[in-house]
Amino acid sequence: MLKLWRWYTSYLAAHPVKTQVISSGLIWGVGDIGAQAITHSTALSQRPNEDDDKEFKINWKRMAATSLFGFGFVGPIGHYWYEGLDRYIRFKLMLKPNSFRFVATKVAVDGFIFGPLDLAVFFTYMGFATGKSFPQIKEDVKRDFLPAFVLEGGIWPIVQVANFRFIPVRKRSAKMDNCFLISLHLFIPSFAIHREHDQKTKIDKFGVSPG
């Protein structure tokens, strides 16, 4: 295991963007499977007598779509975002690395700029990936964006404080930020979308009108 980790970190140093993209795609895919499992478990607890739904089956199409979001957006964009954010706060704002103001500024900028962008792009992308029309996606974003952003805001800053404070930028920066944090960042918006998807599947199955 240690040997594998050393190989990974050395490859990360030699090919940061490529490694970040691949890692992001894999972690988002695994995170999506976890979100599906939680959604399924929650549905079972609410409907314990429905024997047909007790077996958990991975939605591979949805997992692939979510994984592609990691490959195409979070991996490359996240890489340049975290590197640029660190440089900006160090050299433009002239804040001392790892100081309280340095960490607090990074957490605030990340939470209020990249966080909303990531959520909006994710909701939009997953809407199109699941075959929704633009008006449907617009309504989903209006309904789910703020609750997801508020929920994310209660968890994400705590993790980011530890990340920005204790992991050196040369080892972390954009190279390791998302490899550890993407799965958490995925869960909040992903869970909302996948829960809605499963609810609609049940409506179609049992012939219940949503209105």
Side-chain angles (χ1 to χ4, degrees), residues 8-156:
Y8 173 75
T9 53
S10 65
Y11 196 81
L12 196 63
H15 308 282
V17 180
K18 185 189 297 184
T19 307
Q20 183 68 25
V21 168
I22 295 172
S23 300
S24 297
L26 292 175
I27 293 173
W28 276 74
V30 172
D32 178 77
I33 293 174
Q36 290 185 42
I38 290 177
T39 305
H40 178 77
S41 177
T42 302
L44 276 183
S45 66
Q46 294 173 351
R47 297 180 176 87
N49 297 323
E50 293 178 7
D51 295 335
D52 292 343
D53 292 332
K54 285 190 175 181
E55 183 181 355
F56 171 58
K57 296 180 180 178
I58 296 174
N59 186 331
W60 292 106
K61 182 179 179 180
R62 193 172 72 190
M63 187 277 290
T66 310
S67 183
L68 283 175
F69 182 75
F71 280 118
F73 178 78
V74 180
I77 300 300
H79 175 89
Y80 293 110
W81 164 255
Y82 285 111
E83 277 199 344
L85 177 63
D86 191 83
R87 284 198 301 267
Y88 177 78
I89 295 176
R90 281 173 181 266
F91 303 118
K92 294 292 184 180
L93 301 184
M94 303 295 291
L95 297 181
K96 182 180 178 181
N98 294 333
S99 66
F100 174 81
R101 290 183 62 195
F102 180 86
V103 174
T105 301
K106 289 186 78 171
V107 171
V109 174
D110 184 56
F112 285 103
I113 296 180
F114 189 71
L117 174 65
D118 188 31
L119 282 174
V121 174
F122 180 78
F123 277 127
T124 303
Y125 165 77
M126 288 303 296
F128 283 121
T130 53
K132 293 184 178 180
S133 65
F134 182 76
Q136 288 176 314
I137 294 171
K138 186 177 178 181
E139 287 301 313
D140 288 347
V141 172
K142 285 171 63 177
R143 182 190 65 240
D144 296 331
F145 178 84
L146 186 58
F149 182 63
V150 171
L151 181 59
E152 183 181 65
I155 302 173
W156 191 245

